[in-house]
Amino acid sequence: MRFLVLLLEFGLGLSVGLAGTRMTVSVIAGTGVKGYAGDGGPAVKAQINNPYGLVRGPDQAIYFCDIDNHVIRRIDPEGIIATIAGNGIRGYEGDGGPATLAKLNQPYEVRFDPAGHLFFVEMPNHLVRRVDARTGMISTVAGTGERGFGGDRGPAIGAALNRPHSIQFSPDGGGLFICDIGNHRVRRIDVATGVIETFVGDGRRRPTPDGSAFEGQSLNGPRAADFDAAGDLWLALREGNAIYRLDLRANRFHHVAGTGKKGFTGNGGDARQATLSGPKGIAVGPGGNVYFADTESHSIRYVDREKGTVELLLGTGERGGRFSSNPRECETDRPHGIFVDADGSVLIGDSENHRLLKVTPVRRPG
């Protein structure tokens, strides 16, 4: 009987994951060969080039940042791929016109506001742009296009950012939070007024003490952010090799995972004693567990909130391109983007393998 269980779990490419649930991996976009081709056809036959952030849109399509093609692409529920922003030419042009004719510069992260408008970060352009859901027109909502720090308490369109990496809306949609990583700050735009401010971070690249108050504290490379069901903000610190929960009611930082040292240790043990390796994506799942792309260990890991442990979901810890439907045998190459669907499936930008992956719970018949 034990042999049969092993055969089912490993010989058929399945792996036991969350709370004993079997998980399987599939490719949902990309051939593994970098390029820019395939619009209008199946996403699995398309060429993409270094995918980063991704999200499930309000129309149930998947949207992702195809960064080295300088475009945002969409995969509809039938699996057909299309470009919806960017003309494939690197630059900063096109505001006020159709998004598909605009020049972008390495879009890193993509999100939707409650009204269905699409927002994305262009890291080298130091700005955030918006595509209107009704008209398809593009505009800049934050940043001047020049690298720097300034503009707090004024219009976000006139503020200076420094290599912003990720964005996320607050649960009520009233705030747009920006990981302004080069300034070691998280900044917030009031959606109603368009005014920007520093939310947390004093600009210094230093460790953040557990339990400390927001005011006057430092952040070491805030790379990605997401909110949980309670309204708390979760941050992945790239240089800090750590995960923090920000209690927005008490205005306190809580250290959840990572010792601060770079590594790939501690799976199955106390999350705070684990070593992480440049986490560059974070997503809170429907059950409350917190998933992160541990980019430099070429893996997807998660914090089990109930156990307080770090667990391995996908990857071997080694860089590679070998595909397997078994999550523990499937190799990745510097994954960045991560999103968790309502059914617990995890969508991943397997960046330097030029493909999107999906890790799916296997449902038992009946």
Side-chain angles (χ1 to χ4, degrees):
M1 179 61 71
R2 177 59 179 163
F3 173 77
L4 178 60
V5 171
L6 289 172
L7 180 65
L8 287 173
E9 291 177 0
F10 297 100
L12 297 182
L14 301 177
S15 178
V16 174
L18 309 176
T21 302
R22 293 188 301 166
M23 313 292 285
T24 187
V25 187
S26 58
V27 177
I28 58 174
T31 64
V33 178
K34 69 179 180 181
Y36 183 30
D39 277 357
V44 293
K45 295 183 178 180
Q47 288 182 322
I48 61 182
N49 193 351
N50 212 355
Y52 271 39
L54 72 172
V55 70
R56 179 77 69 181
D59 58 357
Q60 297 306 300
I62 296 170
Y63 294 76
F64 70 96
C65 297
D66 197 357
I67 77 161
D68 285 338
N69 285 325
H70 312 290
V71 297
I72 306 293
R73 298 173 86 175
R74 173 184 184 268
I75 305 169
D76 72 16
E78 286 72 46
I80 303 302
I81 193 169
T83 297
I84 55 94
N87 64 7
I89 301 173
R90 183 173 188 162
Y92 177 33
E93 292 180 3
D95 278 0
T100 52
L101 300 182
K103 291 182 180 180
L104 316 183
N105 191 353
Q106 291 193 329
Y108 265 44
E109 188 64 271
V110 59
R111 293 287 183 255
F112 285 88
D113 72 4
H117 304 300
L118 182 147
F119 288 71
F120 59 91
V121 171
E122 290 180 53
M123 186 276 287
N125 279 342
H126 315 289
L127 49 81
V128 181
R129 296 171 91 175
R130 172 186 183 270
V131 178
D132 187 278
R134 184 177 61 84
T135 66
M137 299 298 180
I138 192 170
S139 59
T140 298
V141 297
T144 63
E146 299 294 329
R147 178 174 175 173
F149 174 68
D152 274 357
R153 294 177 295 280
I157 192 68
L161 309 177
N162 187 349
R163 293 178 293 130
H165 278 56
S166 297
I167 51 175
Q168 184 58 282
F169 284 92
S170 59
D172 63 4
L176 175 59
F177 289 74
I178 304 170
C179 289
D180 194 6
I181 194 169
N183 286 319
H184 301 286
R185 291 173 164 90
V186 175
R187 300 172 81 179
R188 179 187 182 276
I189 300 173
D190 184 300
V191 172
T193 65
V195 172
I196 194 171
E197 63 178 351
T198 293
F199 185 72
V200 288
D202 61 5
R204 293 177 292 180
R205 182 177 170 177
R206 304 190 308 177
T208 307
D210 184 32
S212 59
F214 289 172
E215 187 175 357
Q217 282 302 333
S218 303
L219 291 172
N220 191 357
R223 172 57 172 80
D226 199 11
F227 284 88
D228 65 18
D232 288 341
L233 179 65
W234 290 75
L235 284 180
L237 304 186
R238 185 184 69 185
E239 288 87 355
N241 294 303
I243 305 293
Y244 278 78
R245 177 176 65 87
L246 278 61
D247 185 329
L248 301 194
R249 292 164 297 282
N251 291 334
R252 295 278 173 182
F253 291 100
H254 295 283
H255 172 223
V256 177
T259 64
K261 294 182 179 180
K262 185 177 180 178
F264 181 57
T265 63
N267 289 324
D270 185 341
R272 292 168 295 183
Q273 300 303 313
T275 57
L276 315 184
S277 195
K280 295 184 176 71
I282 194 166
V284 181
N289 290 334
V290 181
Y291 298 76
F292 58 96
D294 203 32
T295 303
E296 307 306 334
S297 74
H298 314 287
S299 65
I300 304 300
R301 303 166 79 181
Y302 66 94
V303 177
D304 187 307
R305 297 282 301 278
E306 183 176 344
K307 297 179 181 178
T309 58
V310 159
E311 306 290 345
L312 176 63
L313 178 71
L314 173 71
T316 65
E318 300 292 333
R319 186 176 197 165
R322 187 176 69 89
F323 174 77
S324 171
S325 58
N326 183 338
R328 300 295 180 84
E329 296 178 358
C330 187
E331 296 175 340
T332 70
D333 193 342
R334 304 194 72 246
H336 282 76
I338 185 168
F339 179 81
V340 185
D341 264 329
D343 68 352
S345 296
V346 183
L347 308 179
I348 298 150
D350 187 6
S351 303
E352 295 188 16
N353 280 326
H354 313 293
R355 63 191 182 190
L356 302 185
L357 302 178
K358 182 177 183 179
V359 182
T360 308
V362 178
R363 307 301 179 188
R364 299 179 185 276

